[in-house]
């Protein structure tokens, strides 16, 4: 029968569990680990973990390990052995760089160099996809099935989950309706919903662009602070408005509004990055200290929406070469790049300079 959740639905359940502080169980290769997100872990569950025995680890990304001067023997991740006296404050200090400058010495941190790290790597991917700090507490479980059943925990077989952790969820159109906007009265809003339970994405279609010609298009990542609040720390709001106005003047175009706040790390982590910028780090350095890459967004989502709407070629409004590269790889040709240089001010000039020098933006 079809009542049991499939692997995509179980992954959505696992993300929700991690965000609430509920443990999950990952299995694979004849082994299993209990996993908890460091950000949402509480004292009671940490104490109960100690009772189980064994050697718990806090798993962090290679980026975070570099900041903490911990050896990442697994390359992209590091499995840090949990000291016997480590409390919740210590765990949060390893996971969250907020107090790195005030308390730079977190160690010495002893990291594992032997054994398979695939389950730990999958744990971090899940925690990151839940938009939490990329740090997970893990413990090997000898009788995982019985343990999960006894405690009602979600079990994720990593062999089934792996393809879904590295691919983009299929998107389906939900509804579209006429929406006159300031930039163009001939506006139409399309809603697309991913199968994996993630956030919906939107397409604002201006006019009736022909599907057999390159359409003026922009991939715009959601920016609550810039698009809604008018933040001066970035150029997102001005870019959004300028792109829509250009499409309105052109009589047609498509703006994809992708819910990938903060370059894909979520609003809470973006605010953590802003706090680090206030301490003197640039936008790339802040992301790295948090344990993220420069840019965690998946622009394949935009290509899928465009193809679903019938477009195969775009005149792309962007300064980001990575968007062009991703579009081409995903099967949407970009015969022309249209520059979009607006919104520079005294508060974001350093940010824009960093995007140009470290992320290759064509500014």
């Amino acid at each position: 029968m079809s009542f049991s959740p499939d692997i995509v639905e179980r992954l959505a359940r696992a993300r929700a569990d991690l965000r609430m502080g509920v443990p999950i169980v990952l299995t694979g290769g004849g082994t299993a680990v209990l996993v908890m997100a460091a950000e949402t872990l509480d004292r009671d569950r940490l104490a109960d973990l100690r009772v189980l025995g064994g050697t718990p680890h806090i798993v962090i990304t290679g980026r975070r390990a570099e900041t903490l001067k911990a050896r990442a023997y697994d390359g992209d991740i590091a499995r840090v052995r949990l000291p016997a006296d480590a409390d919740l404050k210590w765990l949060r200090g390893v996971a969250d760089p907020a107090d790195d400058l005030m308390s730079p010495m977190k160690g010495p941190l002893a990291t594992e160099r032997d054994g398979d790290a695939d389950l730990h790597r999958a744990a971090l991917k899940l925690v990151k996809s839940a938009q939490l700090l990329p740090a997970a507490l893990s413990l090997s479980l000898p009788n995982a099935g019985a343990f999960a059943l006894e405690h009602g925990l979600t079990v994720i077989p990593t062999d089934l989950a792996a393809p879904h952790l590295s691919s983009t969820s299929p998107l389906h159109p939900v509804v579209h309706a006429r929406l006159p906007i300031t930039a163009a009265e001939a506006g139409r809003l399309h809603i697309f919903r991913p199968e994996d339970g993630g956030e919906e994405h939107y397409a604002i279609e201006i006019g009736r662009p022909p599907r057999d010609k390159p359409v003026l298009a922009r991939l715009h990542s959601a920016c609550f602070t810039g698009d809604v609040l008018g933040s001066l720390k970035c150029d997102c709001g001005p870019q959004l408005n300028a792109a829509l106005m250009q499409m309105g003047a052109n009589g047609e175009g498509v703006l994809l509004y992708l819910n990938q706040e903060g370059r894909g790390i979520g609003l809470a982590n973006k605010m953590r990055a802003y706090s680090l910028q206030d301490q003197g780090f640039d936008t790339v350095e802040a992301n790295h200290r948090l344990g993220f890459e420069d840019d965690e967004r998946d622009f394949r989502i935009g290509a899928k929406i465009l193809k679903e709407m019938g477009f195969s070629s775009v005149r792309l409004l962007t300064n980001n070469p990575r968007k062009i590269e991703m579009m081409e790889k995903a099967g949407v040709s970009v015969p022309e790049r249209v520059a979009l240089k607006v919104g520079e001010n005294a508060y974001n000039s350093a940010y824009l300079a960093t995007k140009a020098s470290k992320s290759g933006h064509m500014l």
Side-chain angles (χ1 to χ4, degrees), residues 143-179:
N143 301 302
F147 185 90
L149 185 63
E150 178 185 356
H151 298 283
L153 303 181
T154 301
V155 179
I156 301 294
T158 54
D159 59 336
L160 297 179
H164 303 284
L165 290 174
S166 59
S167 64
T168 302
S169 175
L171 289 154
H172 301 288
V174 178
V175 66
H176 61 85
R178 188 175 68 87
L179 181 68

Side-chain angles (χ1 to χ4, degrees), residues 115-128:
D116 186 45
D118 286 349
L119 294 184
H120 304 86
R121 189 171 286 109
L124 270 193
K125 285 183 178 180
L126 258 175
V127 170
K128 286 174 73 173

